[in-house]
Amino acid sequence: MQFMSQACVEEMDLLAAQLSLEEKANSKSWGRSSQRFLGLPLVTTLVKLLELGEVREADELRMRMKVTDKRYWRIKIRGLANAGNFEELNAFAIVTSPIGYEVFVETFLCLGLFEKE
């Protein structure tokens, strides 16, 4: 029962954070239309924030929800790549990575930013 109790608390925290994000998104006009976050899984919420260019908000949510470094790095790479935010992705690749650099190379190859030899 303790696990289920903890899971419910974490889900309530996520829903509260998503509600706050929706309010911020609509008041600050993130993107072209109103943004919906409520009810999305945590990973999807983080990726969506990164795609919208709200890296600071994603970093804060990551800390609030206690996402591990390795997991968040993979999420951040996916979100930045989906958004086509190559400058931020390149700057992120320069930092010492806890997951190695293979994921960055694969991402850059998939995006066609450099060719295989």
Side-chain angles (χ1 to χ4, degrees):
M1 294 304 258
Q2 184 178 5
F3 171 76
M4 294 179 77
S5 173
Q6 182 64 28
C8 287
V9 168
E10 289 175 3
E11 186 64 24
M12 287 185 342
D13 287 345
L14 178 59
L15 289 171
Q18 289 173 331
L19 183 60
S20 174
L21 288 170
E22 276 189 21
E23 291 169 357
K24 285 182 188 178
N26 294 328
S27 69
K28 295 180 181 179
S29 300
W30 295 348
R32 295 183 181 175
S33 61
S34 64
Q35 300 298 323
R36 303 288 300 168
F37 292 99
L38 205 57
L40 294 176
L42 175 59
V43 172
T44 305
T45 302
L46 290 168
V47 169
K48 188 171 183 176
L49 285 169
L50 293 164
E51 289 173 349
L52 291 169
E54 298 299 326
V55 177
R56 187 179 62 80
E57 295 289 342
D59 290 344
E60 288 176 10
L61 181 61
R62 175 255 177 163
M63 296 301 282
R64 182 174 177 179
M65 301 306 297
K66 300 175 184 147
V67 177
T68 63
D69 283 345
K70 290 181 178 184
R71 184 174 182 203
Y72 185 64
W73 273 65
R74 291 182 184 279
I75 293 167
K76 193 167 184 177
I77 291 167
R78 181 175 23 159
L80 294 173
N82 290 349
N85 191 343
F86 306 121
E87 291 176 16
E88 185 77 25
L89 187 60
N90 190 39
F92 194 52
I94 295 171
V95 179
T96 303
S97 170
I99 59 171
Y101 294 97
E102 184 177 335
V103 178
F104 286 101
V105 172
E106 289 173 359
T107 302
F108 287 131
L109 286 172
C110 288
L111 294 172
L113 296 178
F114 59 82
E115 297 177 14
K116 292 181 182 178
E117 292 185 10

